[in-house]
Amino acid sequence: MTTIQVVLVDDQDLVRAGIRAILEQAGDIEVVAEGADGIEALPLVRTHRPDVLLMDLRMPRMNGVRATELVRALDNPPPVLVLTTFEDDASVLNALRAGAGGYLVKSLRPEQLIAAARSAATGDAVLTAPVLDRLVTRTRTVCPGLFAAERRRIPLLSDRERQVLDRIGQGMANDDIATELGMRPTSVRTYVSRLLAKLGTANRTQAALVAYEERLVEGGSA
């Protein structure tokens, strides 16, 4: 069994201890290092090369948004999941714009935390359709036109790439996309990589927001 290695960054010792206990009870997840703020995140990622970086948004010295920007600028950076106590959509949007692959509210259930870490490690989506709906609505209010450039590149996609993008916008994982479209999971991963490059998005979470926004516009809900 392959073990998912996680670096955990949060300024509260008790929170880190609780999250570590939840993740490591899964059996296939190991917290290889912990940090207390964004400044500590970078050297930990460089040293341990984790499969996932799980990081709080609000921390002293350097917050999770800035740390996400710096981590994503590294060579072969890990997917970043940001943690927040409150569903602060403005901060979450800034983190997603910085390259975070998803976000988690600290009140979520243990099994949801474990599932999110697994999904992030395999490159699958972490955001569900209801979350996408709320974030797109919030984007229109606080960051209008945030994904306009990416949406203009959608015509560059092939028909199959567009089909895969549509499913990403529904929050579907690669295996589910493969089943629905009659493809091999390895082929889905290839198409995801191609469409991310064509759209200029940092990860599939940004692509999901682009796809969801496009679907709303096409459906006349804009």
Side-chain angles (χ1 to χ4, degrees):
M1 179 176 63
T2 301
T3 300
I4 298 168
Q5 297 189 330
V6 175
V7 164
L8 173 61
V9 179
D10 191 292
D11 63 316
Q12 298 183 44
D13 293 346
L14 286 176
V15 171
R16 292 201 311 272
I19 292 174
R20 174 191 280 270
I22 290 170
L23 291 176
E24 294 193 337
Q25 76 179 7
D28 61 339
I29 302 175
E30 177 187 7
V31 177
V32 296
E34 297 182 18
D37 59 42
I39 291 177
E40 295 181 9
L42 265 71
L44 290 176
V45 168
R46 289 193 184 102
T47 299
H48 296 278
R49 292 294 174 182
D51 299 302
V52 179
L53 171 60
L54 191 58
M55 182 165 56
D56 191 19
L57 268 180
R58 297 184 178 184
M59 297 179 292
R61 298 205 301 167
M62 181 185 290
N63 63 34
V65 174
R66 179 56 179 156
T68 296
E69 293 175 344
L70 296 176
V71 167
R72 293 300 300 172
L74 299 174
D75 292 334
N76 298 315
V80 179
L81 294 181
V82 292
L83 290 162
T84 179
T85 303
F86 305 102
E87 298 187 37
D88 182 351
D89 291 340
S91 295
V92 168
L93 278 171
N94 286 331
L96 296 178
R97 181 166 48 184
Y103 86 97
L104 306 172
V105 178
K106 291 182 180 179
S107 59
L108 85 174
R109 298 190 303 274
E111 63 269 21
Q112 293 174 312
L113 175 63
I114 292 169
R118 288 171 175 161
S119 294
T122 59
D124 279 334
V126 175
L127 301 182
T128 61
V131 173
L132 286 169
D133 188 15
R134 191 179 70 247
L135 286 179
V136 168
T137 300
R138 181 62 172 167
T139 299
R140 292 173 173 177
T141 302
V142 300
C143 303
L146 178 60
F147 298 109
E150 290 82 358
R151 284 184 50 230
R152 285 196 294 269
R153 299 188 187 108
I154 288 178
L156 300 176
L157 303 181
S158 67
D159 290 342
R160 181 60 95 182
E161 289 166 347
R162 178 61 187 266
Q163 290 172 346
V164 171
L165 177 64
D166 288 343
R167 272 68 181 182
I168 290 175
Q170 297 171 35
M172 295 176 64
N174 283 350
D175 287 348
D176 296 328
I177 296 174
T179 298
E180 179 163 320
L181 296 181
M183 301 169 62
R184 294 190 302 273
T186 53
S187 297
V188 173
R189 287 194 291 272
T190 298
Y191 277 103
V192 170
S193 296
R194 289 176 181 171
L195 68 88
L196 292 182
K198 288 184 178 180
L199 293 177
T201 50
N203 51 46
R204 68 184 292 140
T205 299
Q206 289 186 356
L209 289 165
V210 172
Y212 200 88
E213 170 76 3
E214 179 71 2
R215 190 163 67 251
L216 290 179
V217 171
E218 288 183 340
S221 299

